[in-house]
Amino acid sequence: MAPSIRLSPAARSLFDEPLAIAVRGLGPRQQVTLRTSLRDETGQLFQASAYYQAGDDGELDLARCPALPGGSFSGLEPMGLLWALQPQKPFWRLVKRDVQSPFLLQLEVFEGHGERPGRLLAQAQHERAFLRDGVRRVPVREGRIRATLFLPPGEDTFPGIIDIHGLGGGLFEHRASLLANHGFATLALAYYQFEDLPQKPNKLHLEYFEEAVNYMLQHPQVKGPGVGLLGFSKGGEVSLAMAAFLKNIMAVASLNGSAVVLAIPLSYKDKTIPALTLYEHKAKVINSKILDYSDVTDDPFQAPGNQSLIPLDKAEAQLLFIVGQDDHIIKNEYYATEVCKLLQAQGKENFQILSYPGTGHCIDPPFFPLYPIGSHPVFHKHAVLGGELRAYSKAQVHAWSQIQAFFKKHL
């Protein structure tokens, strides 16, 4: 019997779903190397590999067999070959622009262990998709809004969520599309550097985001009376500000979003919150190419920095702060803790912090590769974003399930 790879689901799974991997037909206790490869939409290659030994019966099930030391990871990690994928090009991030097409995952089994793989014994392909069958993708160009709405299958009404990305501009749909698979009507909202939106805004006006809230609440398939907000980085900060100033916000999950206005001031009607000053000269040089910007601001909880605090005491929404303890872009664990102390002192109980060790600035849905060093969103130089492979992979899975449970409860 020739070796073969067995996958479950067999041909296609959602990107945030587990994939069961097994190899049949090996020799008793045979040593093999398993390798996964995936190319992004620009053709850049991501790979991971691990060393294994088959059982006495020639079976190798990644749910039961630990990886041996020497590969991309070791230990019992059934999904290691997916979460350990790393770019061959340094500082490259896995991004999904077109959620209507899947990523194609290649799996290979080679004889033996070592740097240079032996003979190829088996191979398989698997699609990692972003849209479940029946989920509808609807481009939205209403008034000023530039967005994409994802609707779960069926004619029912669904809890509505607005997904807001971080600095960098453009329209990112991967998180919104995956959330729609779980039963949420999700609007991926662009707010600059996309189509006719401002290229380089010197201020963000919450009226634009209010328009998106009203669009969602008027949609026949969005269940009211309010919406949820899921924001990452600057998008998390915007989401928290929306909860402080706008009506009909029921729940906010902020992924390393600051409770302090950074980089671009925010305004609503006649009120402007100035951005906390970032001092580039305070960056620490890690090596000739990489900088650490974790200490480049004044303390926002002391004057004059406190003028940049978002007045979250005015928010009636439930607030979920999801923070990486190893975030080197914003001291989010400190910011979230201090803000929640202020809320507690005012008798508020509408907040919760999920704090993850070994997790940096980027917290993506499950199985996106770790992105520990990348371009700084303001200074555009290579910066430490933080994070450690195994801890981050666990944080992704846990945070994603908590986000869904949070929105199911409060929407």
Side-chain angles (χ1 to χ4, degrees):
M1 182 172 138
S4 64
I5 299 171
R6 297 291 177 92
L7 302 173
S8 178
R12 186 183 176 100
S13 55
L14 292 172
F15 196 90
D16 61 343
E17 280 182 343
L19 176 65
I21 302 171
V23 185
R24 304 251 171 94
L26 296 169
R29 308 192 70 73
Q30 184 174 356
Q31 293 196 334
V32 289
T33 299
L34 269 61
R35 185 170 75 188
T36 44
S37 315
L38 177 156
R39 285 193 186 274
D40 72 7
E41 290 156 323
T42 68
Q44 290 297 333
L45 180 66
F46 288 73
Q47 280 191 326
S49 62
Y51 298 154
Y52 284 98
Q53 181 171 313
D56 293 331
D57 56 359
E59 294 260 329
L60 172 58
D61 183 345
L62 271 55
R64 293 201 300 271
C65 289
L68 304 172
S72 303
F73 60 92
S74 60
L76 188 63
E77 295 289 351
M79 287 294 286
L81 284 167
L82 282 88
W83 58 248
L85 284 166
Q86 283 294 286
Q88 302 302 291
K89 182 178 178 176
F91 317 134
W92 194 256
R93 186 175 189 184
L94 184 66
V95 174
K96 191 71 177 106
R97 295 278 176 192
D98 175 13
V99 298
Q100 296 177 96
S101 67
F103 276 132
L104 193 60
L105 186 71
Q106 306 275 359
L107 295 99
E108 296 165 302
V109 182
F110 296 98
E111 204 168 46
H113 296 163
E115 282 302 294
R116 303 183 74 78
R119 188 165 59 95
L120 179 67
L121 301 175
Q123 59 184 330
Q125 282 192 341
H126 185 84
E127 290 184 349
R128 295 288 278 171
F130 285 77
L131 293 176
R132 192 186 291 286
D133 287 346
V135 172
R136 283 158 295 158
R137 178 186 176 276
V138 184
V140 177
R141 304 291 181 271
E142 296 256 341
R144 290 179 300 172
I145 305 169
R146 302 292 173 262
T148 306
L149 178 63
F150 292 93
L151 291 167
E155 299 304 312
D156 296 341
T157 59
F158 304 100
I161 296 171
I162 301 175
D163 177 33
I164 308 176
H165 220 271
L167 287 182
L171 179 59
F172 291 88
E173 300 181 357
H174 64 280
R175 210 168 38 219
S177 62
L178 291 172
L179 264 182
N181 298 324
H182 296 281
F184 300 97
T186 314
L187 186 77
L189 181 66
Y191 56 103
Y192 76 107
Q193 241 173 62
F194 181 74
E195 294 184 358
D196 56 354
L197 293 173
Q199 281 302 301
K200 283 195 171 172
N202 52 16
K203 194 185 276 187
L204 293 180
H205 300 276
L206 288 180
E207 286 84 352
Y208 172 76
F209 299 92
E210 187 171 38
E211 216 174 300
V213 173
N214 293 336
Y215 166 80
M216 286 294 275
L217 290 175
Q218 286 159 13
H219 195 284
Q221 282 197 266
V222 173
K223 176 178 148 189
V227 296
L229 307 175
L230 174 60
F232 161 65
S233 192
K234 185 69 178 180
E237 176 198 304
V238 168
S239 299
L240 292 167
M242 289 167 73
F245 289 101
L246 308 181
K247 294 188 193 69
N248 302 317
I249 310 294
M250 310 284 286
V252 175
S254 162
L255 291 156
N256 276 329
S258 157
V260 179
V261 174
L262 297 166
I264 307 171
L266 285 175
S267 76
Y268 184 62
K269 296 184 176 166
D270 53 359
K271 165 90 176 149
T272 296
I273 305 178
L276 194 64
T277 307
L278 305 175
Y279 301 101
E280 191 171 8
H281 67 272
K282 289 189 178 178
K284 293 194 281 284
V285 178
I286 304 295
N287 64 31
S288 60
K289 276 195 185 147
I290 301 163
L291 293 140
D292 184 336
Y293 289 97
S294 50
D295 277 317
V296 298
T297 61
D298 291 326
D299 188 335
F301 299 95
Q302 312 287 331
N306 55 10
Q307 294 167 11
S308 299
L309 275 174
I310 294 167
L312 281 173
D313 53 317
K314 295 186 168 66
E316 290 174 12
Q318 293 294 320
L319 307 174
L320 176 63
F321 296 90
I322 299 166
V323 298
Q325 291 176 19
D326 193 37
D327 186 345
H328 286 255
I329 297 295
I330 309 166
K331 287 188 156 172
N332 257 316
E333 191 189 18
Y334 170 63
Y335 286 9
T337 305
E338 291 302 307
V339 161
C340 290
K341 280 183 195 165
L342 294 175
L343 292 173
Q344 206 164 12
Q346 295 177 7
K348 296 259 186 179
E349 292 177 350
N350 60 333
F351 56 85
Q352 180 191 352
I353 301 177
L354 288 177
S355 180
Y356 293 102
T359 300
H361 187 63
C362 295
I363 302 179
D364 277 311
F367 315 124
F368 269 88
L370 174 68
Y371 181 56
I373 295 168
S375 179
H376 190 280
V378 176
F379 300 120
H380 307 295
K381 291 176 181 165
H382 284 315
V384 179
L385 305 176
E388 177 271 307
L389 195 56
R390 188 184 305 249
Y392 171 63
S393 73
K394 303 274 182 278
Q396 278 178 310
V397 172
H398 187 265
W400 190 236
S401 68
Q402 294 296 304
I403 287 165
Q404 291 169 50
F406 172 73
F407 285 129
K408 283 192 174 120
K409 181 177 176 184
H410 298 296
L411 297 179

